[in-house]
């Protein structure tokens, strides 16, 4: 029988979730849903020294905002719990012991000073990467070099010790990565990693393998930075006699300029967030910006993320979460790093903004209007957003329509300098008379009369429209002036033009 697909997102709560982490969660979610499987959230908090308060809540809230809720996790445990490694603590020791008994791991008693000494010695001997391995272990204090009595005495004394994996001396370790194909590493390049620490906690490697096995994980989809650990993990599966999951190591998200992994510093430098939600450092109080607070729609953020490393193989670019589930496959995830493009994410936001109904946009815009202290009942907001949405990337951009609530107090200088000529006041004065004469102040009627007027005067659009616009809105550009006038109403439009003429003449 085919095993039910089960994947996990396994972040460590050491700070806010980077957008690369969100993409890992996304691909796991998509793969699970595409294959009618389970998406599991497991919190890897065995390293107490790196624990950051609030980070776990941040992770949960980020996933919620993006719309990929775990099928099992600390908040909604299934039958494979607990879902926090710190709560599974009691479980790991027996597995470490099992490896020692089978001769795949050993106790090591070396003090930090002795470890430093070993590294110094190797460095002096020009060894490129000094490490505790198949060769050096022979001259260290461990259960392979000490007598059995001595080992038992040390263990019984309650002094500190660690358990290290015993990497085979001369072996090729191979596995097939779903994205990278065959990966082959020689065991001489691996070191005897610590599996169990003196503080009674397993290391990441140990806990990760035991939990993936116990939670019946079928596919491990994670960032490229974990590729170097994969051979060690393959060995652990073999030593335990467990079936290894399929591994898929995702490409890096690269900085927009140059090479290298996208970092928070790049975001600060180039002016975009690298975190899904705003984060306040509990220690320093420093704020890091987030996509949500910057006004991005989650579907735009998710759509943009999905394309950083994956593509559907067609020209289509707009995919909501459900469409992504439909289209996703690991075969279409590339090996090469994906350069982040902040403008593209904005473009996605613009597309999703345009796609929203005017009613929805009104609801989203209202709090922004209220924050300005404007009377939201004074303006037909549906018509306003219909006008403003074409030019907006974010909901907040529609605040450009401030002129629907307040007459302009200044006029765009560039427009005035370029368009306000000696004969402009006379032209505007005539236009004013045309507008005053209108019985029907609909956009169509204003447009018809405006066109008739400039034709009769022998003028082009450019000689009238910008000046007309700047008096009514204060700005040099914007949506249809005829619709703006209609929305403001005849009285207000006329009042603004008259006030403007007085100001410009004065
Ligand atoms: N806890 C690891 C992390 O923070 C998980 C790596 C993995 O998925 O194996 O990314």
């Amino acid at each position: 029988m085919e095993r039910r697909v089960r994947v996990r997102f396994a972040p460590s709560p050491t700070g806010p979730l980077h957008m690369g982490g969100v993409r890992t969660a996304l691909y796991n979610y998509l793969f699970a849903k595409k294959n009618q499987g389970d998406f599991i959230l497991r919190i890897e908090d065995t390293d107490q020294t790196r624990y950051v308060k609030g980070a776990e809540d941040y992770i949960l809230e980020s996933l919620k905002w993006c719309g990929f809720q775990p099928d099992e996790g600390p908040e909604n445990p299934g039958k494979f719990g607990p879902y926090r490694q710190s709560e599974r603590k009691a479980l790991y020791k027996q597995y470490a012991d099992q490896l020692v008994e089978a001769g795949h791991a050993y106790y090591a008693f070396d003090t930090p000073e002795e470890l430093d000494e070993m590294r110094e010695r190797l460095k002096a001997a020009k060894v490129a990467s000094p490490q505790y391995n198949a060769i050096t272990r022979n001259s260290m204090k461990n259960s392979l070099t000490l007598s059995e009595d001595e080992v038992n005495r040390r263990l019984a004394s309650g002094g500190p010790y660690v358990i290290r994996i015993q990497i085979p001396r001369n072996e090729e370790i191979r596995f097939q990565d779903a994205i990278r194909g065959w990966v082959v590493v020689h065991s001489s390049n691996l070191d005897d990693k610590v599996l169990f620490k003196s503080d009674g906690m397993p290391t990441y490697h140990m806990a990760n393998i035991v939990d993936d096995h116990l939670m019946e994980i079928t596919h491990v989809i994670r960032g490229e930075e974990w590729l170097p650990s994969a051979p060690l993990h393959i060995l652990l599966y073999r030593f335990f006699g467990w079936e290894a999951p399929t591994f898929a190591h995702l490409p890096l998200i690269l900085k927009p300029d140059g090479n290298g992994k996208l970092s928070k510093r790049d975001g600060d430098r180039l002016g975009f967030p690298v975190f899904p939600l705003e984060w306040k450092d509990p220690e320093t109080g420093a704020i890091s910006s987030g996509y949500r607070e910057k006004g991005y729609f989650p579907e735009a953020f998710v759509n943009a993320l999905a394309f950083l490393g994956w593509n559907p193989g067609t020209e289509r670019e707009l995919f909501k979460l459900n469409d992504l589930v439909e289209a996703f496959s690991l075969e279409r995830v590339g090996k090469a790093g994906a350069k982040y493009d902040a403008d593209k994410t904005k473009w996605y936001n613009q597309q999703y903004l345009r796609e929203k109904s005017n009613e929805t946009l009104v609801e989203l815009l209202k709090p922004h209007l209220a924050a300005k202290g404007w009377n939201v009942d004074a303006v037909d907001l549906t018509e306003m957003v219909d006008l403003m949405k074409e030019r907006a990337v974010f909901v907040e951009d529609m605040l450009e329509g401030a002129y629907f609530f307040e007459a302009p107090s200044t006029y765009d200088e560039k427009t005035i300098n370029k368009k306000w000529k000696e004969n402009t006041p006379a032209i505007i004065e005539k236009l004013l008379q045309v507008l005053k004469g209108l019985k029907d102040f609909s956009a169509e009627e204003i447009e018809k009369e405006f066109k008739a007027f400039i034709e009769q005067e022998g003028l082009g659009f450019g000689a009238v429209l910008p000046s007309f616009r700047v008096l009514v809105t204060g700005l040099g550009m914007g949506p249809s002036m005829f619709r703006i006038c209609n929305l403001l109403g005849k009285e207000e439009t006329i009042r603004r033009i008259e006030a403007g003429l007085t100001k410009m003449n004065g």
Side-chain angles (χ1 to χ4, degrees):
M1 203 184 81
E2 278 271 304
R3 285 215 282 167
R4 179 180 176 82
V5 165
R6 287 174 58 80
V7 298
R8 83 311 192 263
F9 177 51
S12 300
T14 55
L17 190 58
H18 184 275
M19 58 195 277
V22 184
R23 190 202 53 179
T24 299
L26 169 65
Y27 285 10
N28 272 285
Y29 173 86
L30 297 177
F31 184 78
K33 296 300 128 189
K34 172 83 184 197
N35 294 288
Q36 287 89 42
D38 302 321
F39 170 58
I40 290 129
L41 174 65
R42 183 174 73 226
I43 302 294
E44 301 211 322
D45 56 352
T46 54
D47 191 349
Q48 302 289 337
T49 58
R50 296 181 62 216
Y51 180 83
V52 172
K53 204 167 152 272
E56 182 182 323
D57 287 342
Y58 181 96
I59 291 165
L60 290 170
E61 203 181 329
S62 300
L63 297 186
K64 243 175 242 169
W65 182 63
C66 291
F68 17 108
Q69 297 267 47
D71 297 304
E72 296 165 26
E75 277 197 330
N76 55 330
K79 57 179 188 188
F80 296 87
Y83 292 84
R84 274 183 208 100
Q85 287 185 329
S86 58
E87 293 167 18
R88 300 171 68 81
K89 195 175 155 186
L91 197 132
Y92 302 110
K93 181 70 178 14
Q94 56 183 301
Y95 290 100
D97 289 340
Q98 188 184 321
L99 290 182
V100 175
E101 269 154 44
H104 294 306
Y106 58 90
Y107 301 111
F109 304 97
D110 315 276
T111 62
E113 294 73 35
E114 287 166 337
L115 291 171
D116 281 346
E117 225 172 79
M118 178 259 283
R119 282 188 212 104
E120 289 310 318
R121 201 170 59 234
L122 292 175
K123 255 193 238 158
K126 301 265 181 293
V127 174
S129 52
Q131 47 190 14
Y132 207 119
N133 60 19
I135 296 169
T136 51
R137 69 164 83 106
N138 297 317
S139 52
M140 302 302 288
K141 287 204 178 65
N142 53 53
S143 56
L144 302 174
T145 58
L146 300 172
S147 71
E148 201 178 322
D149 281 353
E150 176 65 10
V151 170
N152 288 336
R153 194 189 61 72
R154 283 181 183 247
L155 289 178
S157 78
Y161 68 90
V162 298
I163 296 177
R164 289 182 180 272
I165 187 170
Q166 189 170 346
I167 297 284
R169 173 106 194 235
N170 187 13
E171 210 181 289
E172 264 188 353
I173 302 157
R174 27 173 82 234
F175 68 95
Q176 203 170 15
D177 186 281
I179 294 168
R180 280 146 217 281
W182 281 103
V183 176
V184 184
V185 175
H186 197 272
S187 66
S188 60
N189 293 316
L190 304 183
D191 63 332
D192 288 356
K193 282 260 179 319
V194 172
L195 300 178
F196 208 82
K197 295 179 286 185
S198 52
D199 66 358
M201 283 292 239
T203 57
Y204 152 72
H205 303 292
M206 182 74 197
N208 189 268
I209 269 47
V210 169
D211 286 347
D212 281 349
H213 173 68
L214 295 178
M215 292 182 170
E216 297 180 10
I217 299 303
T218 57
H219 296 75
V220 168
I221 304 169
R222 62 185 175 189
E224 180 175 320
E225 62 271 30
W226 298 102
L227 187 59
S229 300
L232 170 68
H233 296 173
I234 291 288
L235 269 182
L236 282 171
Y237 279 103
R238 202 209 300 158
F239 290 167
F240 280 120
W242 296 337
E243 188 185 338
T246 301
F247 285 94
H249 289 92
L250 306 174
L252 293 176
I253 300 181
L254 304 174
K255 49 181 93 232
D257 49 353
N259 289 318
K261 203 167 146 179
L262 175 68
S263 72
K264 173 165 150 39
R265 229 171 313 127
D266 301 314
D268 293 344
R269 183 169 56 87
L270 300 166
F272 58 80
V274 299
F275 301 118
L277 318 178
E278 195 171 275
W279 166 260
K280 186 173 174 199
D281 189 301
E283 299 253 309
T284 65
I287 304 262
S288 302
S289 65
Y291 280 87
R292 182 178 66 181
E293 289 73 11
K294 287 276 177 202
Y296 285 85
F297 298 116
E299 55 268 47
F301 178 62
V302 167
N303 199 150
L305 268 189
F307 273 72
L308 293 172
W310 169 88
N311 72 75
T314 64
E315 295 292 301
R316 180 173 166 194
E317 292 189 281
L318 295 179
F319 287 83
K320 293 214 174 122
L321 197 53
N322 285 340
D323 309 319
L324 287 169
V325 168
E326 192 76 10
F328 188 78
S329 72
L330 284 176
E331 286 77 54
R332 298 214 61 87
V333 175
K335 285 200 261 289
K339 264 194 201 313
Y340 183 61
D341 180 349
D343 289 336
K344 190 73 193 191
T345 311
K346 282 192 180 155
W347 178 84
Y348 277 114
N349 213 62
Q350 186 174 30
Q351 305 310 308
Y352 284 108
L353 186 139
R354 285 182 188 166
E355 202 186 70
K356 296 209 185 292
S357 72
N358 290 342
E359 289 67 32
T360 303
L361 290 174
V362 166
E363 288 316 309
L364 293 172
L365 183 60
K366 266 186 185 167
H368 294 281
L369 299 174
K372 293 271 181 196
W374 294 333
N375 178 7
V376 294
D377 299 321
V379 175
D380 177 348
L381 296 180
T382 310
E383 176 68 3
M384 173 186 166
V385 300
D386 196 55
L387 275 174
M388 302 310 294
K389 70 179 176 188
E390 277 311 304
R391 290 164 49 83
V393 172
F394 301 104
V395 168
E396 231 184 319
D397 291 345
M398 293 191 282
L399 291 181
E400 188 186 292
Y403 47 76
F404 290 116
F405 301 90
E406 291 168 343
S409 52
T410 56
Y411 299 130
D412 179 63
E413 239 175 86
K414 244 168 76 194
T415 311
I416 297 294
N417 289 343
K418 247 175 93 183
K419 298 291 182 181
W420 197 270
K421 303 272 156 62
E422 225 174 61
N423 63 348
T424 305
I427 296 171
I428 295 291
E429 187 61 55
K430 278 190 198 164
L431 174 63
L432 186 61
Q433 297 319 314
V434 173
L435 294 175
K436 278 184 173 171
L438 288 181
K439 293 246 151 19
D440 171 4
F441 212 66
S442 67
E444 297 72 33
E445 196 57 25
I446 302 170
E447 180 169 3
K448 200 176 101 207
E449 292 303 318
F450 177 87
K451 284 182 175 160
F453 164 72
I454 59 171
E455 190 167 326
Q456 182 197 318
E457 297 291 319
L459 297 165
F461 258 78
V464 192
L465 199 63
S467 304
F468 176 26
R469 182 187 295 281
V470 87
L471 294 189
V472 176
T473 70
L475 304 180
M477 279 196 300
S480 158
M481 260 318 278
F482 313 117
R483 290 179 64 188
I484 290 174
C485 291
N486 164 260
L487 190 51
L488 285 172
K490 184 171 173 178
E491 224 179 290
E492 179 65 12
T493 305
I494 287 169
R495 185 164 39 232
R496 288 188 186 186
I497 297 173
E498 283 177 338
L501 278 174
T502 314
K503 238 190 208 172
M504 292 305 292
N505 287 336

